[in-house]
Amino acid sequence: MNARPTPLLPEVNFSDQGDVRYLHLGTEWVQGSMLLDRPFDIELEYVQRMMAWLLFVEPDSVAQRHAMQLGLGAAALTKFCWKKLKMRTTAVELNPQVIAACRLWFKLPGDDARLTVILGDAAHVVAEEARQGTVDALQVDLYDEEAAAPVLDSADFYADCRRLLTDDGCMTVNLFGRSSSFERSLETIASVFGRDATWAFRPTREGNTIVLALRTPVQPERGLLPQRAEAIHSRWGLPARKWLKVFKPVDPA
């Protein structure tokens, strides 16, 4: 069990700069954002890259799949999966103020037949036996108010994440932080999922590195990823063609 003490929860607030609203947890660090005139789009580059699992599934199958976010942030991923992709979507958030802020300031709708927001500890939720094998797209973005390092980053945690996935499921993780070690985190993920199942982006200008890990390793046929990238761009407006220039397997064949 990945038990950990319940932390003191920070105050949640937001700031507006031009046409963008930012979520903060009592510090200047940005925990998420929203375009005020397009609230269901994804504004931040690294958050867009968290959708790279779309490269590994048939576009026509997406609406029949289940997405889960660990860490709600400003709900950009949750809203996109629910609204744009029409997926069954589950989000897990430890701080009730973040959930309230997302619904008050960031256009997160209430729960319905396809949307469930769980107030709870992500470590406990992913370890629940009943959830094993039920998630197709797991998106992990777990940081506290200081954004110093991932809150959950152990081999045990990633093993629980892997068990959560369907056979063709995929996990994307945001690795960022002044006190974190990207190489250590990447090696931990690769040790659990296998190096042949692990891919990584180059860092964004802000220093966020997105790592992708597949439940079952695949070697896409030549031309498949560019074809998928075109479909992702045309259907959902994500810059997937750019992803392929900065996204590689950890151990290229």
Side-chain angles (χ1 to χ4, degrees):
M1 177 67 68
N2 294 291
R4 58 194 173 100
T6 301
L8 294 174
L9 299 176
E11 179 184 356
V12 178
N13 49 33
F14 74 92
S15 63
D16 288 347
Q17 297 182 29
D19 62 348
V20 181
R21 175 165 293 172
Y22 296 100
L23 178 73
H24 308 275
L25 299 183
T27 72
E28 75 277 9
W29 294 101
V30 170
Q31 300 285 341
S33 70
M34 179 184 73
L35 292 165
L36 293 170
D37 58 348
R38 301 197 305 276
F40 292 96
D41 287 359
I42 300 176
E43 190 266 332
L44 292 172
E45 182 180 39
Y46 89 86
V47 183
Q48 293 173 347
R49 293 180 178 184
M50 295 282 283
M51 300 300 303
W53 60 269
L54 287 166
L55 291 166
F56 294 89
V57 300
E58 286 290 341
D60 288 344
S61 75
V62 169
Q64 286 74 53
R65 294 176 179 270
H66 178 203
M68 177 180 281
Q69 295 82 42
L70 305 182
L72 187 59
L77 292 170
T78 302
K79 291 184 300 181
F80 191 90
C81 289
W82 175 80
K83 178 75 170 180
K84 298 293 186 76
L85 303 186
K86 308 298 184 186
M87 299 176 74
R88 182 161 69 93
T89 307
T90 304
V92 183
E93 173 56 50
L94 185 66
N95 189 337
Q97 292 183 57
V98 170
I99 298 174
C102 285
R103 291 199 155 129
L104 184 62
W105 300 326
F106 290 89
K107 305 293 186 183
L108 177 67
D111 286 7
D112 62 17
R114 287 192 296 107
L115 177 62
T116 304
V117 179
I118 299 171
L119 175 62
D121 189 321
H124 298 161
V125 173
V126 300
E128 292 173 4
E129 188 173 351
R131 296 185 187 275
Q132 292 182 7
T134 66
V135 176
D136 298 289
L138 180 65
Q139 297 163 312
V140 183
D141 193 5
L142 295 166
Y143 288 85
D144 61 16
E145 64 273 20
E146 296 298 331
V151 174
L152 295 171
D153 192 38
S154 69
D156 285 345
F157 169 68
Y158 291 125
D160 285 338
C161 289
R162 187 173 185 271
R163 283 188 288 268
L164 197 66
L165 295 174
T166 57
D167 285 344
D168 64 347
C170 180
M171 175 184 75
T172 50
V173 183
N174 174 33
L175 296 178
F176 171 79
R178 291 164 291 119
S179 302
S180 68
S181 166
F182 165 72
E183 291 296 339
R184 183 180 66 242
S185 297
L186 178 62
E187 287 303 318
T188 301
I189 294 168
S191 72
V192 172
F193 282 80
R195 296 187 67 85
D196 57 346
T198 307
W199 298 57
F201 280 90
R202 294 179 195 161
T204 64
R205 288 185 301 275
E206 297 78 18
N208 300 80
T209 303
I210 304 305
V211 172
L212 179 148
L214 298 158
R215 174 67 177 82
T216 304
V218 296
Q219 295 294 331
E221 294 180 6
R222 184 176 179 86
L224 179 61
L225 293 187
Q227 178 185 332
R228 292 262 176 86
E230 288 295 332
I232 293 165
H233 177 80
S234 62
R235 288 189 184 211
W236 300 301
L238 293 168
R241 291 176 296 197
K242 295 181 180 178
W243 296 346
L244 300 184
K245 300 176 182 178
V246 291
F247 179 59
K248 302 292 181 186
V250 170
D251 281 340

